[in-house]
Amino acid sequence: GGPGPEDGGPLASHLPGTTLGVVKLPGLLPNGSDVYDTPGLLQPFQVSGRLTNEEARAVLPRKRLAPRTYRAEIGSSIHIGGLARIDVVDSPQRTLYLTVWASHDVPTHYMVRGEGGKADDFYEKHAGGKLSPPVGEHRAAQLGEWGCRT
């Protein structure tokens, strides 16, 4: 068996990689099926394993997520905290609707016409502050340079 209603139920952690072994969660699904929680594999390229406790608490939602939808133009950017940025480089139309699902503790910032280095400059100036997590300028530097994926 595993943790069940009689002993308070399963414990949850906001830190990745804390499951030490296979944990059976009996009757967890509506149809009475069991769920098995297994240890995940931490990879060096995953941001989640590189966050501090404070940053992980901000990233992981504690209440129902609300969508944040932007009418994004070609050339615009959306910062998701200081952890990610979406650049609209092309679209079949002049604008598109882009929805971000993120914890309420992670701010998003939309920039019209982010090309020409404006989005990069905004990140350099505000990473670790307005754009958090990461928390603190030194942490933004510790996480390293961003890569580009298209």
Side-chain angles (χ1 to χ4, degrees), residues 12-133:
S13 172
H14 64 276
L15 298 173
T18 56
T19 303
L20 299 177
V22 176
V23 178
K24 181 180 179 181
L25 304 169
L28 191 66
L29 297 178
N31 68 359
S33 296
D34 299 340
V35 171
Y36 293 87
D37 185 12
T38 60
L41 298 175
L42 297 178
Q43 301 293 331
F45 58 83
Q46 290 176 311
V47 173
S48 60
R50 298 168 61 202
L51 299 177
T52 65
N53 288 345
E54 180 182 5
E55 293 163 349
R57 275 191 296 278
V59 168
L60 295 173
R62 291 187 295 272
K63 56 185 176 178
R64 183 182 296 263
L65 294 177
R68 299 178 226 177
T69 301
Y70 299 89
R71 186 172 177 211
E73 299 177 8
I74 295 173
S76 63
S77 298
I78 300 173
H79 289 275
I80 304 170
L83 296 175
R85 186 175 88 202
I86 300 170
D87 296 325
V88 180
V89 294
D90 197 9
S91 172
Q93 266 100 54
R94 205 185 75 170
T95 62
L96 61 96
Y97 288 94
L98 202 147
T99 301
V100 175
W101 295 85
S103 167
H104 295 279
D105 297 325
V106 177
T108 55
H109 185 84
Y110 176 72
M111 297 185 70
V112 178
R113 296 283 172 206
E115 81 278 350
K118 284 189 207 174
D120 291 335
D121 293 343
F122 188 81
Y123 176 81
E124 290 295 322
K125 184 175 181 180
H126 297 292
K130 278 184 185 179
L131 297 175
S132 65

